[in-house]
Amino acid sequence: MPNPTADIPTLLRQISFFSELSADGIDRVARYTRERTLEKGEVLFQRGDPVHGFFFVVSGQVKLAVSSAQGNEKVVEILSPMHSFGEAVMFLNRPYPVFAEGLVATRLLHIGQAVVSDLIDQDSSFARKLLAGMAIRLHSMIQDVEIYSLRSSTQRVIGYLLQQVEQDGATGARDIQLPTSKQVIASRLNLTPETLSRIFHDLVNAGLITVHGKHIALHDPVGLAQYQG
């Protein structure tokens, strides 16, 4: 692992709403920042825990999820490096509505609420950037609701696969590596693992993909986007 403290100011500048702070401002935030590491399967916080700041994913992956008394789990979000979470709930003075767990070995930064509140009071441009970041997150959540409500199971899976290609910036036939387990992906897409497996099987039979564990070859992304099942 990298030196746990030497690069914190550099990492803080990767957070969009901190990017234009002065060197003194970054150093001030760094004093309220602590590093946290998670092993695979380790819980960062539980639903109902108090909130004292927000988190930034340096490396690894974190899932946000809720679980029922019967043990059923719904993955709300999967967070990859250079993404932050917890900003909005930090200002509600309410406990976490979800739990967070490392999907792989993960390195995070925790930025304390006090310094963020002070920056909002002192710097209007910082406040606007913070609001913009939370608005983007809200827009993403609205898109999720649209996907779950208006798209079929097959359309959800195809959309997810094509999104992985878009993130890689590639066109044409492409091999991708699923970022996490199929069980977690199924929960994120509001599907059962059995339904996800059936859809993969249908897409394989249609000659659109080949599946080997987490490795998936997309033979025809254009045809995949047009596939109706």
Side-chain angles (χ1 to χ4, degrees), residues 57 109 124 162 165 180 184 194-195 203 217:
V57 183
L109 297 182
S124 59
L162 293 176
V165 175
T180 186
V184 170
E194 294 77 16
T195 299
L203 296 176

Side-chain angles (χ1 to χ4, degrees), residues 33-160:
T33 300
R34 298 292 180 267
E35 186 179 30
R36 177 72 187 271
T37 58
L38 296 175
E39 298 300 325
K40 180 180 179 179
E42 184 178 355
V43 173
L44 177 64
F45 54 75
Q46 294 281 6
R47 182 177 184 177
D49 284 352
V51 179
H52 302 294
F54 73 95
F55 292 91
F56 177 70
V57 183
V58 178
S59 62
Q61 268 185 339
V62 174
K63 75 173 179 183
L64 304 181
V66 294
S67 57
S68 68
Q70 293 74 33
N72 299 320
E73 182 178 285
K74 173 65 181 80
V75 176
V76 176
E77 196 167 6
I78 300 171
L79 295 145
S80 54
M82 303 297 112
H83 286 80
S84 58
F85 61 99
E87 301 96 323
V89 71
M90 177 176 67
F91 296 111
L92 294 176
N93 293 319
R94 295 179 182 175
Y96 286 112
V98 297
F99 72 87
E101 179 183 312
L103 290 172
V104 295
T106 299
R107 182 186 178 203
L108 305 130
L109 297 182
H110 179 264
I111 297 91
Q113 180 176 353
V115 70
V116 178
S117 296
D118 286 347
L119 284 170
I120 289 172
D121 291 340
Q122 299 166 11
D123 188 339
S124 59
S125 65
F126 170 79
R128 286 193 296 270
K129 285 195 169 187
L130 182 61
L131 285 172
M134 291 191 289
I136 290 171
R137 180 70 59 82
L138 176 61
H139 181 68
S140 176
M141 292 176 66
I142 292 172
Q143 286 182 316
D144 282 351
V145 172
E146 178 185 359
I147 288 170
Y148 299 150
S149 302
L150 303 179
R151 294 188 186 179
S152 69
S153 299
T154 299
Q155 288 172 333
R156 287 179 231 166
V157 174
I158 289 173
Y160 179 83

Side-chain angles (χ1 to χ4, degrees), residues 205-220:
N205 287 342
L208 294 169
I209 68 172
T210 300
V211 180
H212 294 289
K214 289 185 179 181
H215 181 84
I216 298 182
L218 307 185
H219 304 307
D220 181 9

